[in-house]
Amino acid sequence: PESADLRALARQLYESYLKYFPLTKAKARAILSGKTSDNTPFVIHDMKSLLEGEQMINCRQMPMQEHRRSDMGIMHEVELRFFHSCQSRSAEAVSEVTEFAKSIPGFVNLDLNDQVTLLKYGVIEVLIIMMAPLMNKDGTLISYGQIFMTREFLKSLRKPFCEMMEPKFEFSVKFNMLELDDSDMALFLAVIILSGDRPGLLNVKPIEDLQETVLHSLELQLKMNHPDSLQLFAKVLQKMTDLRQLVTDHVQLIQLLKETEVDWCLHPLLQEIMRDLY
Amino acid sequence: LKEKHKILHRLLQNSSSPVDL
């Protein structure tokens, strides 16, 4: 009976994962491997294709004052505008992750302050994990899989923009070798969200109890779904250490951008999350 | 904490439709 409950939990989390996250790993891998004929992404590999891609997806434009246009130069403006649209997408993704978190059985019954803390500290880790299926060693899908942006192009941007994605590529290439599928990912995301060691939590015990159940469910899921992959459960959990370092480095880069870029403005939701984070 | 995280709080309290970000 206990394992039946754990399987039911896995199914429930997988269903809400499918409900709230529009681009699944299955779909992303089909696009990346060219297995879908109707979904060939537009490739951004230089500034010219970035401008074309921008028009194609009609991304929200950052208002620019005319006098700054000439001062900054058109290329600087494009980079800032692109990262501005990345922020808008990240804010939407935070909203999707919040809905997913609320669907974890017991989450909404936790102290509301603790729900805020769990999301504040967990959401960037979740977003980085969710980026992995969109990436391969050569680049990443963006804009719901409509666009493929090359890793080389991202590396060619001026500092510190060029340093933003490279650590995520390095992590993702290794993480993807674990070959988790969407149903495994759903449970792993829930485990990350339900971390009882986040700073400032008021009532740790119910969070740890919830996480323990999801961990049992993940362990069972991985044994059943990947019977030949030895120690996969332990390998997946080890990734949580790398994730914390990635988030710390990411937040530091964002702080640097705030200090060095005149026209940089951080989305209010991302500001809330990153303020006093680490 | 809720006061410092008004948007997150709103997202958590919002019952169904997505919050306009």
Side-chain angles (χ1 to χ4, degrees):
Chain A
E2 195 194 344
S3 86
D5 290 346
L6 296 175
R7 297 305 296 147
L9 176 62
R11 269 196 307 277
Q12 188 182 341
L13 288 177
Y14 180 42
E15 276 168 25
S16 53
Y17 172 99
L18 294 176
K19 182 176 173 189
Y20 296 117
F21 303 133
L23 184 55
T24 59
K25 176 167 182 174
K27 195 174 163 197
R29 296 331 271 185
I31 297 171
L32 286 171
S33 61
K35 281 181 185 153
T36 51
S37 53
D38 54 336
N39 268 329
T40 310
F42 177 82
V43 178
I44 292 178
H45 59 96
D46 57 11
M47 281 295 174
K48 185 171 169 283
S49 50
L50 175 63
L51 283 168
E52 288 166 4
E54 217 179 24
Q55 280 172 351
M56 205 181 90
I57 59 171
N58 194 23
C59 74
R60 283 173 232 178
Q61 300 223 337
M62 185 173 158
M64 283 279 173
Q65 291 169 9
E66 279 306 312
H67 71 275
R68 282 191 180 151
R69 190 176 287 270
S70 53
D71 290 340
M72 291 177 62
I74 186 79
M75 290 316 176
H76 280 205
E77 191 182 316
V78 170
E79 277 163 341
L80 272 176
R81 206 166 58 216
F82 169 66
F83 276 92
H84 192 75
S85 68
C86 288
Q87 285 194 48
S88 299
R89 172 63 198 126
S90 301
E92 280 172 16
V94 171
S95 161
E96 291 160 11
V97 174
T98 307
E99 291 306 314
F100 175 75
K102 284 154 68 178
S103 77
I104 302 170
F107 183 87
V108 292
N109 302 325
L110 297 171
D111 182 291
L112 192 53
N113 278 295
D114 284 350
Q115 292 181 41
V116 171
T117 302
L118 291 178
L119 276 173
K120 179 182 176 72
Y121 284 90
V123 79
I124 305 178
E125 293 179 15
V126 167
L127 294 186
I128 290 174
I129 285 289
M130 295 193 67
M131 233 182 254
L134 314 182
M135 292 181 158
N136 61 23
K137 66 176 177 42
D138 300 317
T140 181
L141 290 173
I142 56 171
S143 189
Y144 300 100
Q146 294 176 87
I147 288 177
F148 182 79
M149 184 169 274
T150 67
R151 187 173 176 176
E152 282 305 312
F153 173 65
L154 283 159
K155 271 165 85 173
S156 76
L157 298 175
R158 67 190 161 93
K159 267 191 164 187
F161 294 104
C162 59
E163 292 163 352
M164 194 82 87
M165 292 307 288
E166 194 54 25
K168 282 80 171 178
F169 277 111
E170 285 167 13
F171 172 81
S172 294
V173 167
K174 284 184 272 177
F175 182 76
N176 288 340
M177 286 162 79
L178 299 178
E179 297 189 319
L180 300 189
D181 69 16
D182 287 301
S183 56
D184 309 326
M185 294 278 281
L187 285 161
F188 185 42
L189 298 183
V191 168
I192 292 170
I193 292 168
L194 296 169
S195 295
D197 61 347
R198 304 297 191 192
L201 285 174
L202 302 172
N203 200 357
V204 169
K205 179 77 169 61
I207 299 166
E208 285 180 341
D209 290 346
L210 287 180
Q211 193 196 40
E212 199 181 321
T213 309
V214 182
L215 277 168
H216 284 315
S217 182
L218 176 64
E219 188 176 17
L220 181 63
Q221 161 83 11
L222 295 178
K223 274 186 187 150
M224 293 178 73
N225 207 17
H226 308 263
D228 301 324
S229 187
L230 293 173
Q231 300 299 321
L232 182 58
F233 181 57
K235 287 177 189 167
V236 170
L237 296 189
Q238 277 168 13
K239 296 294 175 193
M240 291 170 80
T241 317
D242 302 340
L243 268 176
R244 294 209 176 179
Q245 189 57 48
L246 273 172
V247 172
T248 308
D249 296 346
H250 183 78
V251 173
Q252 272 178 4
L253 264 178
I254 299 288
Q255 298 295 351
L256 183 68
L257 275 169
K258 262 168 71 179
E259 288 159 20
T260 56
E261 296 292 327
V262 190
D263 284 303
W264 178 261
C265 53
L266 195 57
H267 189 288
L269 176 55
L270 305 179
Q271 255 181 54
E272 264 189 27
I273 291 167
M274 291 188 194
R275 190 186 301 136
D276 308 322
L277 190 68
Y278 287 118
Chain B
L1 193 72
K2 285 186 288 184
E3 285 307 304
K4 284 185 175 174
H5 299 81
K6 287 201 166 76
I7 310 175
L8 262 188
H9 185 233
R10 194 152 51 95
L11 289 171
L12 281 164
Q13 292 292 83
N14 180 49
S15 57
S16 55
S17 61
V19 172
D20 182 16
L21 296 169

